[in-house]
Every structure is written in C-alpha cells, then in structure tokens.
Amino acid sequence: MRLFAFKRDCLQLTFIGNGTKQGGVLSPYLFTYYVRGIISSIVNCGVECHVGEYCMNLFAYADDMVLLAPVWSAMQKMLTILKTVCTEYDIVINTQKTVCMVVNPKCWSKSPCVSFPQFALDQKLEFVTNFKYLGHVLMNNVSNSADIEREMRNMFTRCNMLISRFKYCSLLVKCVLFRTYCLCLYIITLWKNFTVTCLNRMK
C-alpha cells in the first residue's frame, strides 16, 4: 500500500495505508482489535509472577506494556510469543524503546546467578537499572528515591514557570495557582521505599 495525500487550499485528503489516523472514529476500535490479540497471547501463555494475592505477567496501558516473568527463560518465552503475534498482525516493535530490568531479590543467596544473557527480540535488548512507566520511575532495587527526585524537578519547573508568567499577580492569585498546578502529588501514594534524606528534601 502507498500513502497518498492531496492538498488544495483548506481541503486535505489523506489515504492511510498502514496504522491508524489520530483522532479517527475507527482508530480506538482498530487499535483495541490488534492489542487484544497481543494481550490475550501473553496472558494465556502459562507464565506468571505472584504479586501479593494476584498472579500476573502483563501490565498494559494503551501501547505501554510491561512484561513480568519469574525467570530468564520465561521472559524469553513471552518475548518469542510477542514477536510471533506481532508478525502475524504486521506490527513493528520499536526495540530502541524496549528495555529489560532485573529486579534485585531481597536475599542474593536465593538468586541462581548475578548476570543474565541479553534477551532477543529482533535484536539484543538493553539491560537497565531503572525505567519510566506511565511517568513513574521504577528501579531494580524497588526504591522510590529516583521517582521522588523526578517529582522534585517537576515541581521546580512548575514553580519557576508560575513565577515568571504570573509575577505581576497578587499573592492570593499566586497561592491559588500554586495549590492548583504545583501540588499535583497524587502519585506519592505509590511511594513506599525511600531514604529519609530524600523525603526530607521533598518536604
């Protein structure tokens, strides 16, 4: 298929040969149709992690997905299934944005090995010590210190923007704007493991 575009004055006619058009009426339905097959294949593959009282192997929010596996071979199995389903649906996986992270165990003596071979998905995937998922920084030592640092940087940015753009407003207006736009801290309910020093800096 080819991509054709015709434009004259304010009239624009576009034919999409691959993917979905942003804002299109059918785009959410078509996206759901494709993603549902991927999610079903991973969820029903028989590999799961116990998180609290639940067994799960996939977190998915739109096209942001996190796969969970208890051992290296199980993760490689899920990646192979993912590759097979994506090939079937003609979906391209962006390996440049795909990373792997090994969560450190509480007791290293129970770990079978310290280093693991790289995972294969079209090409070798990079191992990282932290990554950002839905705006929240996840670390391999299950610490929230990096996410607290991220939130502090965001607060500085929002406060500096407020000061520069509303410097001529009254103090009352500035306080209302600060409470409305700078104190968006709903994500702090996820913070559990952190250092006292890091939390004090945030306060």
Side-chain angles (χ1 to χ4, degrees):
M1 296 291 288
R2 295 181 180 178
L3 178 67
F4 300 95
F6 170 76
K7 185 174 182 181
R8 182 180 179 183
D9 297 330
C10 295
L11 176 65
Q12 184 175 358
L13 180 62
T14 306
F15 298 94
I16 304 297
N18 192 8
T20 60
K21 187 176 180 181
Q22 186 170 0
V25 178
L26 284 176
S27 296
Y29 174 79
L30 295 173
F31 177 79
T32 303
Y33 174 79
Y34 277 89
V35 171
R36 185 184 291 124
I38 297 174
I39 292 176
S40 298
S41 301
I42 296 296
V43 169
N44 299 322
C45 71
V47 177
E48 296 175 332
C49 284
H50 292 276
V51 180
E53 300 176 355
Y54 302 96
C55 294
M56 56 188 68
N57 59 5
L58 173 69
F59 293 131
Y61 184 85
D63 61 340
D64 290 335
M65 296 185 182
V66 174
L67 302 180
L68 300 174
V71 293
W72 184 93
S73 57
M75 178 58 75
Q76 186 57 62
K77 176 184 176 181
M78 287 197 293
L79 291 175
T80 304
I81 293 171
L82 177 65
K83 173 62 179 171
T84 303
V85 177
C86 288
T87 303
E88 180 183 345
Y89 287 148
D90 195 21
I91 297 176
V92 178
I93 301 173
N94 189 348
T95 53
Q96 300 299 321
K97 294 183 178 180
T98 306
V99 295
C100 302
M101 186 177 76
V102 178
V103 180
N104 296 339
K106 292 182 179 179
C107 182
W108 278 103
S109 61
K110 296 181 180 179
S111 180
C113 60
V114 178
S115 61
F116 300 89
Q118 287 183 291
F119 293 101
L121 184 65
D122 284 339
Q123 65 183 35
K124 300 294 184 180
L125 300 179
E126 178 189 3
F127 276 102
V128 295
T129 57
N130 64 77
F131 68 94
K132 187 180 288 186
Y133 181 64
L134 302 181
H136 187 75
V137 179
L138 303 173
M139 299 185 67
N140 64 343
N141 60 357
V142 202
S143 172
N144 298 117
S145 296
D147 197 59
I148 295 175
E149 296 284 346
R150 176 200 59 78
E151 190 57 47
M152 280 193 288
R153 288 192 298 270
N154 288 345
M155 182 175 286
F156 277 121
T157 302
R158 293 193 294 266
C159 289
N160 288 331
M161 191 178 300
L162 187 150
I163 291 171
S164 63
R165 292 186 180 182
F166 300 95
K167 58 184 175 181
Y168 298 114
C169 294
S170 65
L171 180 62
L172 179 63
V173 172
K174 289 179 183 177
C175 289
V176 172
L177 292 172
F178 177 78
R179 287 193 297 268
T180 305
Y181 297 105
C182 298
L183 292 181
C184 304
L185 302 176
Y186 64 92
I187 201 168
I188 65 174
T189 56
L190 298 175
W191 295 343
K192 184 177 180 182
N193 300 314
F194 45 80
T195 62
V196 177
T197 304
C198 190
L199 186 64
N200 287 338
R201 284 186 59 201
M202 180 68 184
K203 291 179 180 179

